Amino acid sequence: MTEAEDRKPRSDEARYDPEITSEFAIPRGLDVPKGDDSETTSEFAVPQGLQTLQPSTAEPEGSAFSPPSTYSAEHAPAAFTPATGVPLVSLVKDAPWQDRMRTMLRMPVTERPAPEPVQRLEEGGPAVPRVLDLTLRIGELLLAGGEGAEDVEAAMFAVCRSYGLDRCEPNVTFTLLSISHQPSLVEDPVTASRTVRRRGTDYTRLAAVFRLVDDLSDPETHVSLEEAYRRLAEIRRNRHPYPGWALTLASGLLAGAASVLVGGDVVVFVAAAVGAMLGDRLAWLCAGRGLPEFYQFTVAAMPPAAIGVALTLAHVNVNGSAVITGGLFALLPGRALVAGVQDGLTGFYITASARLLEVMYFFVGIVVGVLIVLYFGVKIGGELNPDAAPVISNRPLIQIAASMLLSLTFAILLQQERSTVLWVTLNGGVAWSVYGAMRYVGDISPVASTAVAAGLVGLFGQLLSRYRFASALPYTTAAIGPLLPGSATYFGLLSMAQNDVDKGLVSLAKAASLAMAIAIGVHLGSEISRLFLRVGSAGKRRAAKRTRGF
């Protein structure tokens, strides 16, 4: 057979032979319709025999958002959205940037207003990674300085929006900062992170960072990206405003003032000051050797307790309990406690748990140091009476002066700017005056009195920070010093050292209640200033959706 004959069409029998055909061949006996119609159809084709609607009654073709023909506005079903609608969040341009950024952070991403770049940008805009890096470095300084997680996120958000970056999502935890920027819905996001390794108490540096963020958020102040980096480097290199000897002296004066608050005299003042200064120097020595802060607190708590026990053993007519109590005031971590409770109240539960765990470790370190000294002091015959309640209501003028001195020295220990020291000193005097009036004149419970006094501290601190466009921490942290539960902590430890564990736990629970009252009062006072005072307010803000009961 020739090759041409081999290419001729075969017969039907050969065509249906499975040996020479594929599985797609037409089976034998199947009638194939004749015509030009395609044999293959879509699965959306109308099956044969199904009656379709006539063109006159068919629904017009429209988008997925078009209402169906059966919808009637008069007889519409009940909608999920309330009848009054969703409250509109108003952003007042003259409000501080903290309020504006905080309001936008609490809004969903789709409801945030489009960014209006504050800084004059060059053609093409700044590099996104560099803006994110600057944002993380600013957030690192704020978080390391003790600022709350929500305020750190607000500052990071303000920096990004100042340079025109929309769709930015900052995230703050206790040791990790991260930020993500997605240019559009079809582009890949850019994410950067930074770890906070060290923390310090330098409110001067904190105030300088706030001024930088305020300048970046001001449309009348032009700060280029390079200028922002230069100012940030200068902030990092700045020296502390007070030398080391001034901090040691301030620690002693703080302990002496605290001992006067709990009934001490001049001798007690001097003894508490000497013990606190010795403890401060020992803590600095341990820090220089690289010991963790837990052991630093343990060592710093020993000298005041040892001096109090020594005066009791020497039968000196002084109140040894007041000496030890004054020494504890300089060590109580009030700043970390307030920040931890504030993070918990604003919804940052991971950061709040970490801060409160840090406070617990510091407190355990103080407990260990004091208990070691008290235990040996009781064993060798020291007569310390845990039932000796301090008398602090018969010298109101001296107590107010002591509270102001305590706030002043506390502000120096926190490395605050000299311009803020006077304000926080007055704020501390007002706090103690309110507490004393409610507790000893009005005979109100100490927890309620502490909460009200701390609320006024938070209110005044927020007002001062709004007036100066700065952080509220320098105006509140030192002012709550006179309210810290030093005496309740000491008498609880003394009872435990004398094997009266139940009574000691009750006193320590009282100290914990007072500490929580301070933290909640400070935060509530600052929130009241935002909600009800129209000066510098960002308007009525909407709560987070998880608190709306949906």
Side-chain angles (χ1 to χ4, degrees):
M1 181 181 294
T2 64
E3 183 178 356
E5 294 176 348
D6 186 58
R7 290 199 297 267
K8 292 182 179 179
R10 306 280 183 96
S11 63
D12 293 340
E13 290 78 6
R15 185 174 59 182
Y16 291 118
D17 190 356
E19 297 291 335
I20 59 177
T21 60
S22 68
E23 62 269 21
F24 298 102
I26 302 174
R28 178 182 300 178
L30 180 64
D31 294 334
V32 180
K34 302 297 183 178
D36 297 334
D37 295 338
S38 175
E39 297 181 6
T40 59
T41 60
S42 169
E43 64 269 22
F44 299 103
V46 180
Q48 186 176 0
L50 179 64
Q51 294 182 357
T52 60
L53 295 175
Q54 298 299 324
S56 60
T57 60
E59 292 187 5
E61 183 179 357
S63 67
F65 300 98
S66 300
S69 60
T70 57
Y71 176 80
S72 174
E74 298 179 356
H75 306 284
F80 183 73
T81 305
T84 56
V86 178
L88 179 64
V89 178
S90 60
L91 297 175
V92 181
K93 294 184 178 180
D94 295 335
W97 60 265
Q98 297 98 318
D99 288 344
R100 290 187 283 110
M101 297 301 110
R102 188 182 293 107
T103 302
M104 282 190 285
L105 280 174
R106 295 181 179 182
M107 298 169 58
V109 179
T110 56
E111 298 181 13
R112 293 174 185 170
E116 298 178 1
V118 176
Q119 301 301 323
R120 294 188 295 272
L121 305 179
E122 300 176 356
E123 184 177 357
V128 173
R130 296 205 66 195
V131 175
L132 298 184
D133 178 71
L134 175 67
T135 302
L136 290 174
R137 291 177 183 274
I138 290 177
E140 178 191 10
L141 288 180
L142 292 177
L143 187 62
E147 193 63 73
E150 187 178 34
D151 292 329
V152 175
E153 282 196 358
M156 295 171 64
F157 196 66
V159 175
C160 288
R161 290 183 69 90
S162 298
Y163 288 103
L165 297 187
D166 194 11
R167 296 181 177 274
C168 286
E169 287 296 331
N171 186 23
V172 176
T173 57
F174 187 58
T175 58
L176 181 65
L177 296 168
S178 63
I179 188 168
S180 177
H181 168 65
Q182 187 173 11
S184 66
L185 294 177
V186 296
E187 297 183 65
D188 295 332
V190 180
T191 304
S193 62
R194 193 172 183 87
T195 303
V196 179
R197 300 290 184 184
R198 299 180 60 185
R199 287 176 171 79
T201 53
D202 190 347
Y203 282 3
T204 300
R205 179 178 297 173
L206 187 69
V209 176
F210 260 79
R211 284 193 294 269
L212 174 59
V213 179
D214 185 57
D215 290 342
L216 291 175
S217 305
D218 187 4
E220 298 181 358
T221 304
H222 175 61
V223 182
S224 64
L225 195 62
E226 299 299 331
E227 176 68 14
Y229 267 106
R230 185 190 64 79
R231 290 180 56 177
L232 194 62
E234 290 180 355
I235 293 173
R236 286 180 173 273
R237 289 194 300 264
N238 278 349
R239 298 177 60 88
H240 298 307
Y242 307 102
W245 63 266
L247 299 180
T248 302
L249 181 61
S251 178
L253 293 177
L254 187 152
S259 65
V260 173
L261 284 178
V262 294
D265 53 11
V266 178
V267 178
V268 172
F269 181 93
V270 175
V274 172
M277 287 189 289
L278 290 176
D280 181 76
R281 287 294 91 190
L282 288 177
W284 275 101
L285 180 62
C286 294
R289 300 295 181 181
L291 288 179
E293 287 185 294
F294 176 86
Y295 302 105
Q296 297 177 28
F297 275 81
T298 301
V299 172
M302 288 184 174
I307 291 179
V309 172
L311 292 176
T312 303
L313 292 174
H315 301 287
V316 180
N317 189 17
V318 296
N319 189 352
S321 300
V323 176
I324 302 176
T325 300
L328 294 181
F329 263 87
L331 301 175
L332 294 178
R335 172 184 58 87
L337 175 67
V338 172
V341 174
Q342 178 183 353
D343 289 341
L345 294 176
T346 52
F348 294 83
Y349 300 114
I350 297 178
T351 307
S353 302
R355 288 187 190 272
L356 293 178
L357 185 62
E358 181 188 41
V359 171
M360 188 192 73
Y361 272 103
F362 290 164
F363 188 76
V364 170
I366 297 172
V367 168
V368 171
V370 175
L371 279 181
I372 291 175
V373 176
L374 292 181
Y375 179 78
F376 287 104
V378 172
K379 287 296 183 180
I380 62 179
E383 297 180 358
L384 296 172
N385 185 12
D387 296 327
V391 180
I392 59 178
S393 60
N394 56 349
R395 301 178 300 175
L397 295 180
I398 296 178
Q399 305 298 331
I400 293 175
S403 65
M404 295 178 67
L405 177 61
L406 193 152
S407 299
L408 171 65
T409 53
F410 202 175
I412 295 176
L413 288 177
L414 294 175
Q415 301 281 0
Q416 292 188 197
E417 292 181 306
R418 291 178 174 86
S419 59
T420 65
V421 171
L422 176 61
W423 294 108
V424 74
T425 301
L426 296 176
N427 203 5
V430 171
W432 180 261
S433 300
V434 173
Y435 172 80
M438 295 182 62
R439 178 71 182 95
Y440 302 107
V441 179
D443 197 18
I444 302 176
S445 67
V447 176
S449 303
T450 301
V452 173
L456 289 177
V457 169
L459 177 63
F460 294 154
Q462 192 64 229
L463 291 177
L464 290 172
S465 66
R466 286 165 176 265
Y467 174 73
R468 301 175 66 91
F469 289 92
S471 172
L473 286 181
Y475 301 101
T476 57
T477 305
I480 65 173
L483 304 176
L484 294 176
S487 59
T489 303
Y490 162 69
F491 286 113
L493 298 179
L494 181 58
S495 298
M496 296 180 67
Q498 294 180 346
N499 293 325
D500 194 352
V501 179
D502 294 338
K503 191 173 183 179
L505 291 178
V506 170
S507 184
L508 291 179
K510 178 183 177 182
S513 300
L514 293 174
M516 291 296 294
I518 293 173
I520 295 175
V522 169
H523 182 261
L524 182 60
S526 61
E527 288 295 316
I528 289 175
S529 67
R530 296 193 186 106
L531 288 175
F532 298 104
L533 297 180
R534 304 302 301 175
V535 178
S537 176
K540 188 175 181 180
R541 67 185 183 191
R542 182 171 54 184
K545 284 193 173 181
R546 59 176 174 271
T547 65
R548 297 167 68 91
F550 292 166

